[in-house]
Amino acid sequence: MGEKCSIDKAIEVLKENSETIHNVSEWAKVMHLSRSYFSRVFTQNFGLNPKEFLTDYRISLISNEIKQHPEAIEFAIAVNIGFADNNSLSKYLKYHFDKTFLEFKDEIIHKKTQIRY
């Protein structure tokens, strides 16, 4: 396996591997820690569980990509931030916001949706 990473580096590791980390288990694996240990220590150190943080982080990536490339199509935005395709991005937005990509994009462009991260 590899050397365990310090929990202090968790956010840095996420940023460096954001296209390949899709869930907490993958994040913990990249950190060379068990999922349960990673979740417990992350929550203790950052005051937010890693699933919530990962969701906020991915939403911020989507929002920033939309702001930087408002003319881009959904597929391009999805692939640029690590989703397999536009269907994956659509399902993600539907699950977390109950919105289509176009609805979410419109809200981001017109600053109607507040992002926590």
Side-chain angles (χ1 to χ4, degrees):
M1 202 156 167
E3 190 174 323
K4 291 182 179 180
C5 293
S6 167
I7 201 68
D8 296 336
K9 299 202 182 288
I11 295 171
E12 181 181 324
V13 167
L14 175 61
K15 288 178 181 180
E16 292 171 358
N17 299 281
S18 64
E19 291 183 12
T20 58
I21 295 174
H22 300 106
N23 56 51
V24 176
S25 294
E26 291 173 353
W27 193 1
K29 187 176 181 178
V30 172
M31 298 281 299
H32 304 288
L33 301 169
S34 72
R35 186 194 189 288
S36 59
Y37 178 80
F38 174 74
S39 294
R40 185 174 59 253
V41 175
F42 186 95
T43 302
Q44 289 171 349
N45 281 16
F46 296 105
L48 188 67
N49 76 50
K51 183 177 180 180
E52 291 171 336
F53 186 90
L54 181 58
T55 299
D56 287 351
Y57 183 72
R58 292 191 88 196
I59 294 298
S60 73
L61 290 177
I62 296 165
S63 299
N64 290 337
E65 191 71 17
I66 289 170
K67 289 174 189 172
Q68 291 174 5
H69 308 285
E71 74 293 342
I73 61 172
E74 182 178 5
F75 182 81
I77 289 174
V79 171
N80 284 348
I81 56 176
F83 286 92
D85 56 27
N86 56 310
N87 289 331
S88 299
L89 176 57
S90 290
K91 288 178 185 176
Y92 192 84
L93 293 173
K94 193 70 171 168
Y95 178 81
H96 290 288
F97 288 94
D98 196 28
K99 296 184 184 333
T100 66
F101 173 76
L102 291 177
E103 290 169 335
F104 184 80
K105 181 179 177 178
D106 182 58
E107 288 190 7
I108 293 300
I109 290 172
H110 296 99
K111 299 185 187 340
K112 296 176 194 170
T113 297
Q114 294 297 318
I115 304 303
R116 290 188 285 176
Y117 184 81

